[in-house]
Amino acid sequence: MHRRSVVAGAALVALAALLVTLGAAVRPLFVPDDAPEREILSATEIAFLQDMAAHHEQALLMVQSLDPGVTPVIARLAAQIDDVQRVELGTMLGWLRLANTLPSNPRPMAWLHEPGTGHHGAPVADVQPVDTSMGMATRAELDALAAARGRDAEVVFLRLMQRHHYGGVAMARGADGLLTAGPVKQAAREMVTEQTREIGMIGLLLAQYG
């Protein structure tokens, strides 16, 4: 009886091994080994990150161009903008590196103007066309900021940054409307919150200048 149990057990082990071998042999027929990997970022996410990275880079340049002799309240605002946008820029560039794509967009802002799909093929929301400059300062305006001193520098900086933030908020809201879920959508929402708050601060400061 014991001998029969041993033989039966050995037969079951052999059968299991045979089934495993057959399974490995037929697996390529049903599950291709070269199946494409899941995308890290959608095309919309990549384009938004590329454009917002360029937008953040100019904001940092504006802070660096500001006269160091401005009043403490303007200096604190500039430092706050620098800190927040520097961290966000690093995160966005890190995501783009993970996606193995370029940090710059060959077709800036096209993702806001063309019909397409959001994250993993989800239908996009309707987004109104916006100015492709998105509040970016011109070279002449940046030169004027760098040359300004004292009160003039403060006013020029506040006006340029206010317009810059309006553009950034429009971009982030556009991305939020186009994407259905994920960390990029969440980052866009956080940018809307932060930059809207700073727009309010800038408005109050400009009001003090009359």
Side-chain angles (χ1 to χ4, degrees), residues 1-203:
M1 185 72 175
H2 175 69
R3 182 172 177 275
R4 237 178 298 167
S5 298
V6 171
V7 171
L12 287 174
V13 171
L15 178 59
L18 177 61
L19 290 175
V20 169
T21 302
L22 288 174
V26 302
R27 180 178 181 276
L29 298 177
F30 301 98
V31 183
D33 289 334
D34 59 349
E37 295 183 0
R38 179 177 178 272
E39 63 179 2
I40 296 175
L41 296 172
S42 69
T44 301
E45 289 173 321
I46 289 173
F48 165 69
L49 292 173
Q50 289 171 329
D51 286 338
M52 188 59 86
H55 208 261
H56 275 37
E57 286 171 352
Q58 187 178 89
L60 296 178
L61 177 60
M62 289 165 63
V63 170
Q64 294 167 6
S65 301
L66 180 61
D67 175 19
V70 296
T71 58
V73 66
I74 301 298
R76 284 194 298 270
L77 173 62
Q80 173 183 306
I81 293 172
D82 185 89
D83 290 343
V84 172
Q85 300 220 359
R86 194 173 296 277
V87 171
E88 290 176 349
L89 176 60
T91 299
M92 291 188 290
L93 292 178
W95 282 337
L96 290 171
R97 282 194 293 271
L98 284 175
N100 194 30
T101 189
L102 296 174
S104 59
N105 188 356
R107 301 180 62 215
M109 306 303 168
W111 56 278
L112 272 178
H113 298 271
E114 296 178 350
T117 57
H119 194 75
H120 305 307
V124 303
D126 291 333
V127 176
Q128 295 300 318
V130 294
D131 180 5
T132 56
S133 69
M134 301 308 296
M136 296 278 276
T138 64
R139 183 70 258 174
E141 289 172 329
L142 292 174
D143 290 342
L145 173 61
R149 291 294 178 268
R151 181 186 178 90
D152 289 341
E154 294 171 1
V155 173
V156 171
F157 174 77
L158 290 172
R159 287 176 176 168
L160 289 180
M161 191 60 76
Q162 183 184 56
R163 190 181 73 197
H164 198 268
H165 271 20
Y166 277 129
V169 168
M171 290 170 62
R173 283 178 174 163
D176 183 28
L178 290 167
L179 303 175
T180 59
V184 177
K185 179 181 178 71
Q186 181 59 36
R189 288 189 169 184
E190 291 172 358
M191 289 176 193
V192 170
T193 300
E194 178 64 29
Q195 294 192 34
T196 298
R197 186 175 67 85
E198 290 174 350
I199 287 171
M201 295 171 59
I202 292 172

